[in-house]
Amino acid sequence: MLEAEIEEIRFFHEPVPGSALDNALFHIRSILLRSEEMQSMRSDYMAVETPLLLERLYQSLVRYNTAQTLAAERYSRLLMVVAVVLFVTLGLALTRLNRARAAIGRSWDQLRDGVESLTEAFALFGADGRLVLCNSRYRQLYPWLEGVLEPGVTINEVMEANRRSGRLLDTSSGDGDTVDEAASSSFAQTRNFYIEQLSDGRWYLASDSFTSAGELVSVRIDITESRRGEVELRKLSRALEQSPASVVITDVQGRIEYVNPKCQEMSGYSEAELLGRNPRLFKSGDKSPREYAELWATISAGREWRGQFHNRRKDGSIYWESASISPVRDPQGGITHFIAVKEDITARKRSEEQLRMYGTVFETITEGIMVTDADNRIKIVNPAFTRITGYQPEEVVGENPRMLSSGRHSPAFYAELWESLLERGSWSGEIWDRRRDGTLYPAWLSLVAIFDERRRLLEYVAVFSDITHRKESEEQIRRQANYDALTGLPNRSLLRDRLSGALKSARRERWKVALLFVDLDRFKEVNDSLGHVAGDELLQRIGERLRGCVREADTVARFGGDEFVLLLEDIKQVSDAADVCKKILRELDGPVALHGRDVFVGASIGVTLYPDDAADANTMLRNADMAMCRAKDAGRNNYQFFTLAMNEQVQHRIELERDLRQALEQGQLLLHYQPIVRLDDLRVVGVEALLRWRHPERGLVLPDTFITLAEESGLIAPIGRWVLRMACRQAGSWRAAGLALKVSVNLSSHQLAMGLEVGEIQQILGEEGLDPEGLNIEITESTMMEDSEANLEWLEQAKAVGVRLAIDDFGTGYSSLSYLKRFPMDTLKIDRTFIRDVEEHPEDISLIEAIIAMAGSLGLQVVAEGIENPAQLELMRRHGCDLGQGNLFSEALEPGRIPDLVRVGVAAAE
């Protein structure tokens, strides 16, 4: 039909060869042919039974999937059973492994503690020659091995370190033979006992022995003292043999058992001729039997006898002997021998006559004379010595002349004196000495050193005279030149000298110097109305008051007229000078009674400082004068600093102190509370009371700004009592409302020093209705160690009352296990710096672990301060920390917000 239509179109339209119509007809014919082919194919497709085939295919697929699913379930159950068995087995194995490790750890700790408790040095090397352990005593004996004695180091490395140090001089066996160096370096060689000598003079008894398992046990004992005792004993023996004095030892019956070579030389008898004989063979016959009987009675009674013998030598010659005979006792006190120490004094006897003549001069001369031996021990003094010093001869003989020292001379003075005396043989000059009654006096001293013909020093001779009267005359002249005649204070000239000296000392010692220029405000009115006599008396009174305002070492000078200058040396800070100014103004503000009338003067003070304002005396005087003028311009009866910035700083401190005093009176102080959270469930179990100051102008002021000022001014005592009372009152109120919160209160060292008694705390608890266990007192490490015994007593009293005690800021101070064991603490608070820096300093984790472990071993609860993020919280939980506080949980809150926080909790903080 469609082709007929096409033909009809061609009939009415004359075809035009190559026209567009022909082309269109051609394409239409082609499309129709393709359409017929498609229709034929569709008929063929529809003749096939497609739904039946698809259904069969679907049923096959379902059967296949069902089979696969059942197989997978069977394999899953089998794998689950296998996994459960494996996990149970692994858990049991890990449990047994942990128990074994714990047992090994305990055994190892017991071994290490036992080794550490040994008084001997101990080290153990394994069979492979490597260090297993050593105690601290071993490290103390070999300090140069610090850093070497670590587990795993070989014994050969240790011995090499010993050789490199040069400190181990000699190694010898017990009988004193040197051990062969090559053999001693071999680990395989077994040595029992030998001796080590060190370069610093110490001796060690060493023992190296092998165990049955092949380990080497090294033990060292310090025998320095016993070795020294042996050396001293040999030294004494040699001294006895080489003594210039004759020594004779007899038994209790008087039979000679020992004589030294000097005795044989003096008597002419040999040792064989004297042993077993009685010393009476020396008798010359000039001593009576009674004298010998007295001698024997003295030594038999256990006392020492001293005297002289006129004895006879073997050749018959006579000699004088000075003897000292003493009993020798056994450990039980019984007399076993007698020892006689004798000296040939024949030559001395001959010179005694000549000395007797010299003695007359010695006794009558007006100058004091003192003779000392070569060791500078006083041998003799004359009567003039006693008259001048007040010491009797028996009080000074044998003493060092230092007992006369006044203490006014420097070591350099005495060094120069001795240098002159020893090099030139003499010295003379002025010196200050001390009498027996303690008074000082000036003396003119001449010293001479006496030498023998070989230039060996024998004695010193000192001749001195009291020059007190001469010095008084000189002092009067000096005082007239350097002191004000009216007030007795240093004048302008002496002030300049002292100021120059103070500046030199300040440059050398790097300290501050303050100069205060004081001008009386109404002196002219007093002088004009009451007269110059009253004015002079007023100046004297003012000088006395100013002197009482400063230290003994400071200088108060009258500069002229009604002007005074105060020189303050070695001041620590600007406020020290301000405190002196305030004290002066208080002293001069009161009335002065003159001729039956009370007069008031007041003062204007200018202050300047070295090195802040000036570097020389003239500039400081000028600056202080200018500052004084500024004080007068400001209204008088006040003080001004030369430097405006310093003046503002001091004024700010004064204002802050004044405001702080008013804050307590006017109720401007308040407490905020920061929660303390139990870390395992994040429940609030306590709070820490934190002081705040609501200043009328500055707003809310944190304690960092004013606590130091409160401590320095003494206000910390009343403020601390207020904090304690308010915290206890608030905790009692919470407990009455059903919130059993413990409240922590910080206690400073100044509060303890200012007399805070445990009884006062107990009284506050009773008045505020709080059980003692509800109060936790926090004390820093440094506070506990300032006066540990007194603080220990205080803490024990507080503990007896029932108050809980905490160590605050632990880790920043002494951090010693010994004091933790001594002090009766309940809680340990890890300082926030450990928590804050743990992410930047991973080594702090080890410290935190150690602190928590140490606290756990002592039964202490641990609080981590300053937890700021979840990572820190997780770290503290992981290491077993009990409690925590920080801004992660809550900042310090007003007391009214705490109950809601306790009820809601801080779980959201995670």
Side-chain angles (χ1 to χ4, degrees):
M1 180 177 178
L2 187 59
E3 289 181 353
E5 292 177 352
I6 293 172
E7 288 296 328
E8 186 178 349
I9 292 172
R10 293 185 61 185
F11 178 77
F12 287 103
H13 295 278
E14 191 67 28
V16 179
S19 68
L21 181 60
D22 288 337
N23 290 336
L25 292 174
F26 175 79
H27 286 295
I28 290 173
R29 189 180 291 112
S30 297
I31 290 172
L32 290 175
L33 291 175
R34 293 292 182 190
S35 175
E36 289 176 357
E37 290 177 1
M38 290 295 293
Q39 184 67 28
S40 176
M41 291 174 66
R42 179 176 179 278
S43 298
D44 294 339
Y45 173 76
M46 293 301 294
V48 179
E49 296 180 352
T50 302
L52 181 61
L53 292 176
L54 289 175
E55 179 65 24
R56 291 175 183 173
L57 178 63
Y58 172 74
Q59 293 297 327
S60 299
L61 180 61
V62 168
R63 287 193 298 274
Y64 175 78
N65 286 339
T66 301
Q68 290 295 321
T69 300
L70 292 174
E73 288 179 355
R74 286 194 297 272
Y75 282 120
S76 297
R77 292 192 188 97
L78 178 61
L79 289 175
M80 183 177 296
V81 171
V82 172
V84 169
V85 172
L86 288 176
F87 276 119
V88 171
T89 304
L90 180 60
L92 292 174
L94 288 175
T95 301
R96 292 175 182 173
L97 178 61
N98 288 334
R99 289 175 181 172
R101 285 180 176 175
I104 293 172
R106 288 193 297 272
S107 300
W108 178 254
D109 290 340
Q110 291 173 353
L111 173 62
R112 186 166 51 197
D113 291 344
V115 170
E116 189 63 31
S117 67
L118 295 174
T119 57
E120 297 84 3
F122 178 91
L124 176 64
F125 293 88
D128 59 354
R130 296 185 179 276
L131 179 66
V132 178
L133 63 88
C134 67
N135 62 5
S136 58
R137 181 62 176 161
Y138 199 91
R139 299 176 185 273
Q140 292 172 2
L141 294 189
Y142 299 100
W144 60 86
L145 294 179
E146 187 66 32
V148 177
L149 288 175
E150 299 295 337
V153 65
T154 67
I155 189 170
N156 288 329
E157 290 173 341
V158 172
M159 301 182 78
E160 176 62 25
N162 279 335
R163 280 194 290 270
R164 287 199 308 270
S165 72
R167 301 284 293 277
L168 199 61
L169 297 182
D170 185 27
T171 304
S172 59
S173 60
D175 56 5
D177 297 330
T178 301
V179 177
D180 181 74
E181 189 173 284
S184 67
S185 64
S186 173
F187 174 66
Q189 180 177 352
T190 302
R191 299 198 301 269
N192 289 325
F193 292 96
Y194 57 95
I195 293 173
E196 294 180 345
Q197 181 183 2
L198 277 67
S199 60
D200 59 4
R202 287 181 293 163
W203 297 78
Y204 297 160
L205 177 62
S207 170
D208 290 339
S209 57
F210 285 96
T211 66
S212 58
E215 295 97 345
L216 179 67
V217 178
S218 180
V219 180
R220 301 291 185 270
I221 303 174
D222 192 336
I223 59 169
T224 304
E225 292 303 321
S226 61
R227 292 287 293 189
R228 288 175 180 167
E230 294 174 7
V231 172
E232 289 298 321
L233 188 60
R234 287 195 292 270
K235 187 189 301 181
L236 291 175
S237 177
R238 289 195 298 269
L240 198 61
E241 290 292 310
Q242 301 171 18
S243 171
S246 169
V247 179
V248 179
I249 300 177
T250 70
D251 60 16
V252 291
Q253 282 76 38
R255 292 186 293 268
I256 297 175
E257 292 188 356
Y258 170 82
V259 291
N260 71 341
K262 186 63 176 180
C263 177
Q264 300 172 51
E265 177 188 336
M266 285 174 54
S267 67
Y269 291 98
S270 67
E271 181 180 21
E273 293 173 316
L274 292 174
L275 294 181
R277 303 285 298 275
N278 193 289
R280 67 172 62 96
L281 70 94
F282 299 132
K283 290 171 58 176
S284 64
D286 69 333
K287 224 173 188 45
S288 66
R290 181 179 60 83
E291 291 176 301
Y292 281 108
E294 290 177 355
L295 181 155
W296 187 255
T298 299
I299 61 176
S300 297
R303 300 190 302 272
E304 180 185 9
W305 181 91
R306 290 179 179 272
Q308 296 178 354
F309 294 109
H310 201 207
N311 284 344
R312 186 185 304 276
R313 295 187 177 93
K314 181 179 179 181
D315 61 8
S317 59
I318 303 297
Y319 66 100
W320 281 97
E321 212 174 43
S322 174
S324 170
I325 306 177
S326 305
V328 178
R329 301 179 184 273
D330 59 18
Q332 289 72 37
I335 299 175
T336 61
H337 295 80
F338 297 107
I339 180 169
V341 180
K342 302 185 288 185
E343 181 183 0
D344 188 344
I345 58 172
T346 305
R348 191 177 74 192
K349 281 289 189 179
R350 294 191 185 117
S351 62
E352 282 180 357
E353 188 62 33
Q354 186 177 7
L355 290 175
R356 203 171 289 116
M357 178 179 62
Y358 295 151
T360 304
V361 178
F362 185 78
E363 294 288 329
T364 58
I365 194 170
T366 58
E367 285 81 7
I369 300 177
M370 174 177 58
V371 181
T372 66
D373 59 18
D375 295 325
N376 203 28
R377 297 288 175 183
I378 298 175
K379 296 173 61 177
I380 189 171
V381 295
N382 70 340
F385 175 94
T386 300
R387 186 171 60 254
I388 295 172
T389 67
Y391 285 101
Q392 295 298 323
E394 60 271 15
E395 295 178 299
V396 296
V397 171
E399 300 292 334
N400 192 294
R402 281 196 300 268
M403 65 185 297
L404 304 174
S405 175
S406 65
R408 294 183 58 170
H409 299 291
S410 66
F413 171 84
Y414 290 106
E416 183 180 351
L417 181 154
W418 280 103
E419 181 181 0
S420 174
L421 183 60
L422 295 176
E423 291 184 1
R424 294 190 290 273
S426 64
W427 179 89
S428 62
E430 185 179 306
I431 193 170
W432 281 83
D433 280 337
R434 187 184 301 274
R435 293 187 175 90
R436 189 177 186 276
D437 61 6
T439 59
L440 305 184
Y441 69 96
W444 185 264
L445 174 65
S446 296
L447 291 172
V448 177
I450 307 299
F451 299 92
D452 64 9
E453 64 279 359
R454 297 184 181 179
R455 193 61 185 172
R456 290 182 301 188
L457 180 64
L458 300 178
E459 296 170 330
Y460 300 104
V461 178
V463 180
F464 61 96
S465 57
D466 187 347
I467 59 171
T468 301
H469 295 302
R470 191 182 80 185
K471 292 293 292 182
E472 288 175 350
S473 300
E474 293 176 355
E475 177 64 20
Q476 184 176 0
I477 297 172
R478 187 186 67 84
R479 190 165 188 83
Q480 291 174 352
N482 293 290
Y483 287 85
D484 177 52
L486 176 63
T487 62
L489 298 174
N491 60 15
R492 183 181 303 210
S493 175
L494 182 56
L495 171 67
R496 288 182 178 274
D497 289 342
R498 290 189 179 180
L499 179 56
S500 298
L503 294 180
K504 290 179 182 178
S505 299
R507 292 188 192 98
R508 182 175 63 254
E509 303 296 337
R510 299 180 182 275
W511 62 40
K512 291 181 180 294
V513 173
L515 196 68
L516 281 57
F517 204 106
V518 181
D519 184 86
L520 303 183
D521 285 340
R522 289 180 290 274
F523 175 74
K524 188 175 185 302
E525 299 173 10
V526 175
N527 213 24
D528 292 343
S529 60
L530 300 180
H532 293 288
V533 175
D536 291 346
E537 185 177 350
L538 176 61
L539 291 175
Q540 292 172 344
R541 301 279 187 86
I542 295 300
E544 293 172 359
R545 292 192 180 188
L546 291 176
R547 198 70 193 88
C549 294
V550 296
R551 301 165 297 183
E552 187 69 28
D554 297 328
T555 297
V556 177
R558 185 186 177 198
F559 202 66
D562 61 345
E563 295 176 336
F564 297 86
V565 175
L566 282 70
L567 173 60
L568 311 180
E569 299 188 53
D570 188 19
I571 65 171
K572 305 302 181 186
Q573 52 193 358
V574 179
S575 59
D576 294 341
D579 291 340
V580 174
C581 291
K582 288 187 286 187
K583 189 174 182 181
I584 292 172
L585 293 177
R586 286 196 302 268
E587 287 292 325
L588 301 188
D589 189 48
V592 180
L594 290 176
H595 302 285
R597 294 179 55 181
D598 287 341
V599 298
F600 297 85
V601 285
S604 299
I605 307 173
V607 186
T608 188
L609 296 173
Y610 170 86
D612 306 85
D613 304 333
D616 60 86
N618 289 332
T619 306
M620 289 197 72
L621 285 167
R622 184 176 67 250
N623 290 349
D625 190 18
M626 293 171 60
M628 182 272 294
C629 293
R630 187 187 304 165
K632 280 191 175 294
D633 295 340
R636 302 190 177 190
N637 201 35
N638 69 93
Y639 64 93
Q640 294 288 326
F641 280 82
F642 174 75
T643 303
L644 184 60
M646 290 184 181
N647 194 44
E648 291 176 352
Q649 178 184 353
V650 173
Q651 291 300 324
H652 175 74
R653 186 179 185 275
I654 294 172
E655 292 173 1
L656 192 63
E657 180 180 342
R658 181 198 61 211
D659 292 348
L660 186 57
R661 291 182 185 277
Q662 297 175 354
L664 188 58
E665 299 171 358
Q666 299 177 2
Q668 298 174 6
L669 299 180
L670 66 155
L671 293 181
H672 284 182
Y673 298 88
Q674 185 173 40
I676 298 175
V677 177
R678 192 164 53 214
L679 296 186
D680 57 355
D681 59 4
L682 296 183
R683 304 303 299 175
V684 177
V685 296
V687 292
E688 180 179 357
L690 300 174
L691 182 61
R692 300 291 186 264
W693 177 10
R694 197 176 300 282
H695 194 280
E697 298 175 359
R698 295 185 174 92
L700 194 64
V701 181
L702 297 180
D704 293 345
T705 306
F706 62 88
I707 284 297
T708 301
L709 177 60
E711 292 176 340
E712 293 175 355
S713 63
L715 291 173
I716 192 64
I719 291 176
R721 290 183 176 90
W722 180 88
V723 170
L724 184 61
R725 181 174 293 278
M726 292 299 103
C728 291
R729 180 176 300 174
Q730 184 62 62
S733 174
W734 283 330
R735 292 208 167 201
L739 297 178
L741 294 177
K742 297 183 185 297
V743 62
S744 297
V745 177
N746 291 284
L747 195 67
S748 80
S749 60
H750 291 76
Q751 289 175 263
L752 291 177
M754 297 177 75
L756 178 63
E757 299 291 341
V758 174
E760 186 175 357
I761 297 176
Q762 193 173 13
Q763 179 182 354
I764 292 174
L765 288 169
E767 293 173 353
E768 301 303 334
L770 181 65
D771 293 335
E773 65 177 11
L775 175 62
N776 192 34
I777 293 179
E778 297 185 3
I779 302 177
T780 62
E781 287 183 282
S782 56
T783 296
M784 289 194 299
M785 300 310 298
E786 285 176 1
D787 188 357
S788 58
E789 293 303 325
N791 290 339
L792 175 60
E793 182 179 355
W794 193 95
L795 292 171
E796 288 175 344
Q797 292 176 4
K799 188 69 174 177
V801 169
V803 172
R804 295 183 61 81
L805 302 172
I807 305 172
D808 196 14
D809 300 336
F810 185 82
T812 61
Y814 193 70
S815 302
S816 169
L817 180 61
S818 61
Y819 85 74
L820 280 179
K821 292 167 62 179
R822 290 181 61 209
F823 289 98
M825 311 309 289
D826 301 292
T827 304
L828 183 151
K829 300 188 75 173
I830 303 176
D831 187 70
R832 66 181 63 250
T833 56
F834 289 89
I835 313 302
R836 181 191 63 203
D837 299 337
V838 71
E839 297 176 7
E840 298 180 2
H841 303 283
E843 63 272 11
D844 283 352
I845 297 178
S846 300
L847 295 175
I848 292 172
E849 290 178 350
I851 291 172
I852 294 174
M854 180 174 60
S857 66
L858 296 175
L860 300 179
Q861 198 172 40
V862 181
V863 180
E865 295 183 297
I867 297 179
E868 304 292 337
N869 56 58
Q872 296 170 351
L873 169 61
E874 179 59 30
L875 176 67
M876 292 299 101
R877 280 176 166 172
R878 189 167 63 251
H879 291 292
C881 184
D882 304 306
L883 307 173
Q885 66 183 108
N887 290 338
L888 177 64
F889 310 122
S890 173
E891 60 183 358
L893 303 174
E894 296 177 354
R897 298 176 59 187
I898 294 297
D900 291 338
L901 184 67
V902 173
R903 284 188 288 268
V904 174
V906 295
E910 293 187 284

